[in-house]
Amino acid sequence: MEDFKNIQNGIILPSIGYADQPKIVVADNGAWVYTITTGEGQEGTSNTFVGISQSFDCGKTWSSLQRIDDSPFESSYSTLFKTDFGRIYCFYDLNIDGIKKDDEILEHDGTVSFSPRLDMGFGIFCFKFSDDNGTTWSKERYEIPMRDFDIDLINPITARGKVRRCFWNVSNPFAWDGAFYHAMNKIRYQNGDVVYQTAGALLKSDNLLTESDPKKIRWETLPDGTKGIVSPAGTKISEEHCFVPLSDGTIYDVFRTVDGKPGYTRSTDGGHTFEPSRYQCFADGTEMKNPRAANFIWKCQNGKYLYWFHNVSGPEWEGRNPVWFCGGVECDSKTGKTIKWSKPEIVLYSENKKDRISYPDLFEWDGKYYLAETQKTVSRLHEIPEAFLQKLWDDAGSY
C-alpha cells in the first residue's frame, strides 16, 4: 500500500472552501453518507453551512453537496447516526435568530462587545432525518432542548434581546442499553471571546432508537446538577468531549484542555455523574501530551479502542501535525471497566508543517478501517491497514 500515513495520498472529500468535521455513515443500501461543515469563507464566517453527499463506490466519487437546511443563516458542526430501522439522523447547530457579526452584545457589566464568529451555537441544536439512505431529508427541522448549566446563565444577550446560549460539538453520538447519547460542549462567552470558558455535557434520549415520530423523541441533559464536566486542573477550558461506552456500561470521556494534556473522566451511572477528571495516561502510567486540539476515541467492532491525539504539549491550537494513534483494550478498575492505552505511533502526517490535521472520523466497512480528517481547507479519506492497528492493540494487551 502506498504510504498511507501521508495525508496527500488520501481521497479528497467534497467541500467548497472551508472544510471542517467530515463524518461518514454507511446506509442500509451500502451508500456512504457524508456530512461536512463548509463554506466559501474562513472558519466561523457567514454563509457557513452543513453539506450532505453520497458515494456508491466506497468513497471514490461523491454526489454534489446539498445543504441540510435551507435557512439563510449559518448551520455547522454536524454529526450522523443510523438507527437499526435504517433512519439516518443529521444533528447540527443552527443560527436560527440570524445573529450577525456586527450585532452588539450587551455584557453583564454594561459594556458592549461584538461576536467574532457565527457558527458556534447562537441559536439551536437540532436535527433532520432521512428514511431513504441519505438521498432526501425531512423538510422540518427539530430542536433538541438543553437544560441550562451555570455557564449558560452568565452569558450576555444581543442588542435584539436574544439570549446568547453558546455551544458546539465535534464528536460522534453513540447508543447504549436502549438509549441514545450525543456529546455537547457548553460555552461561556465574554468580551468577544466565543470560547472564554467551556464545560462538557451529554444529551440523552431514551426513545430515539425506536421512535419514528420525531416530535415524540424525549431528551434530558447530563450530568445531573449545573456544573458540567471540567478540567482536572480546574482551568476554564474543558471542551470537544468525545464519549464511548465500555462493555459494562461505563461511559468513557476524553476532551481537550489548555493544560498541555488531554483530560478524561468516566461515568458508571449512565452519565448522571462523572468521576473527577484526570489526565490521559499510557498503560505504564505516563501522562500523555496534547495541545488545545481535538482528541478522539472510537470503539471498534472488535471491542477494542483507538485514540487520536497529537503527543505534544501546549496551551494553544498549534501542534496538530503529525497525528498519533494509541490502541486501547479494556481492563478492570476498582470502579468498573476502564481502558489501558498502548505506546503511541504516528498514523498521519503532512509534509507541509503549517497543516493542522484534526476533526477526524473513523468507521469500518467490509472489514476495513477508514479515517477522515481535515486541515480546515481540504478534507480527505484514508484507509488504515488492520495490521498497523493490530500492533497497537497487541502492545496495549501486553501490559
Side-chain angles (χ1 to χ4, degrees), residues 256-257 260-262 288-295 307-325 346 348-350 352-359 374-375:
R256 76 181 188 184
T257 72
K261 308 168 189 176
M288 299 180 183
K289 298 177 181 180
N290 202 59
R292 192 174 182 175
N295 55 121
Y307 176 59
W308 160 298
F309 76 123
H310 294 284
N311 204 26
V312 62
S313 187
E316 296 300 333
W317 291 272
E318 304 301 326
R320 302 185 184 190
N321 179 19
V323 179
W324 299 72
F325 256 10
I346 291 174
L348 291 176
Y349 72 92
S350 174
N352 183 351
K353 294 181 180 180
K354 294 182 179 180
D355 278 341
R356 295 190 296 166
I357 313 167
S358 197
Y359 300 108
T374 180
Q375 307 86 50

Side-chain angles (χ1 to χ4, degrees), residues 189-234:
Y189 171 98
Q190 182 166 308
N191 296 325
D193 186 351
V194 78
V195 282
Y196 175 79
Q197 182 180 354
T198 53
L202 192 57
L203 305 177
K204 177 183 177 181
S205 171
D206 64 359
N207 68 340
L208 178 142
L209 300 178
T210 56
E211 178 57 66
S212 60
D213 184 348
K215 295 180 180 178
K216 295 182 179 179
I217 296 175
R218 298 182 292 264
W219 296 95
E220 64 177 312
T221 305
L222 302 172
D224 298 339
T226 60
K227 299 300 181 184
I229 301 169
V230 298
S231 75

Side-chain angles (χ1 to χ4, degrees), residues 55-322:
S55 174
F56 294 93
D57 56 8
C58 296
K60 296 181 180 65
T61 61
W62 295 87
S63 64
S64 59
L65 281 176
Q66 61 172 301
R67 291 175 178 259
I68 189 66
D69 199 299
D70 59 5
S71 169
F73 306 122
E74 291 73 24
S75 57
S76 56
Y77 300 114
S78 52
T79 61
L80 297 171
F81 182 84
K82 186 176 73 69
T83 67
D84 287 342
F85 60 91
R87 173 172 290 177
I88 299 175
Y89 284 94
C90 182
F91 301 89
Y92 58 100
D93 298 356
L94 179 65
N95 178 16
I96 196 169
D97 297 317
I99 294 181
K100 303 183 187 323
K101 293 188 71 170
D102 57 356
D103 280 355
E104 293 183 351
I105 298 173
L106 182 64
E107 304 281 349
H108 286 281
D109 61 3
T111 60
V112 171
S113 63
F114 300 88
S115 169
R117 57 191 300 171
L118 300 169
D119 59 336
M120 300 189 76
F122 293 169
I124 60 173
F125 189 55
C126 60
F127 66 84
K128 288 192 172 189
F129 63 88
S130 172
D131 286 330
D132 58 6
N133 302 301
T135 302
T136 62
W137 296 82
S138 58
K139 293 182 179 180
E140 187 173 352
R141 73 177 77 92
Y142 300 87
E143 180 178 356
I144 300 174
M146 289 189 284
R147 178 171 54 85
D148 282 338
F149 286 1
D150 291 343
I151 200 170
D152 298 300
L153 300 177
I154 53 179
N155 271 326
I157 61 174
T158 72
R160 288 185 277 169
K162 304 294 184 182
V163 176
R164 195 177 182 86
R165 174 188 280 167
C166 297
F167 57 88
W168 91 108
N169 168 69
V170 300
S171 58
N172 291 329
F174 67 92
W176 176 257
D177 195 26
F180 170 86
Y181 297 83
H182 199 297
M184 183 51 58
N185 303 276
K186 287 175 170 280
I187 302 171
R188 176 187 174 186
Y189 171 98
Q190 182 166 308
N191 296 325
D193 186 351
V194 78
V195 282
Y196 175 79
Q197 182 180 354
T198 53
L202 192 57
L203 305 177
K204 177 183 177 181
S205 171
D206 64 359
N207 68 340
L208 178 142
L209 300 178
T210 56
E211 178 57 66
S212 60
D213 184 348
K215 295 180 180 178
K216 295 182 179 179
I217 296 175
R218 298 182 292 264
W219 296 95
E220 64 177 312
T221 305
L222 302 172
D224 298 339
T226 60
K227 299 300 181 184
I229 301 169
V230 298
S231 75
T235 48
K236 292 180 180 179
I237 301 304
S238 165
E239 60 197 20
E240 300 195 332
H241 290 253
C242 186
F243 300 85
V244 293
L246 308 190
S247 63
D248 66 346
T250 297
I251 297 175
Y252 193 105
D253 170 36
V254 297
F255 56 93
R256 76 181 188 184
T257 72
V258 290
D259 309 333
K261 308 168 189 176
Y264 89 100
T265 183
R266 298 161 59 247
S267 172
T268 58
D269 58 6
H272 289 278
T273 62
F274 283 83
E275 297 173 342
S277 298
R278 290 171 281 176
Y279 295 118
Q280 276 273 85
C281 294
F282 301 111
D284 65 3
T286 304
E287 288 184 344
M288 299 180 183
K289 298 177 181 180
N290 202 59
R292 192 174 182 175
N295 55 121
F296 274 57
I297 180 174
W298 295 281
K299 185 173 186 176
C300 298
Q301 293 175 8
N302 62 8
K304 299 176 183 179
Y305 301 85
L306 293 170
Y307 176 59
W308 160 298
F309 76 123
H310 294 284
N311 204 26
V312 62
S313 187
E316 296 300 333
W317 291 272
E318 304 301 326
R320 302 185 184 190
N321 179 19

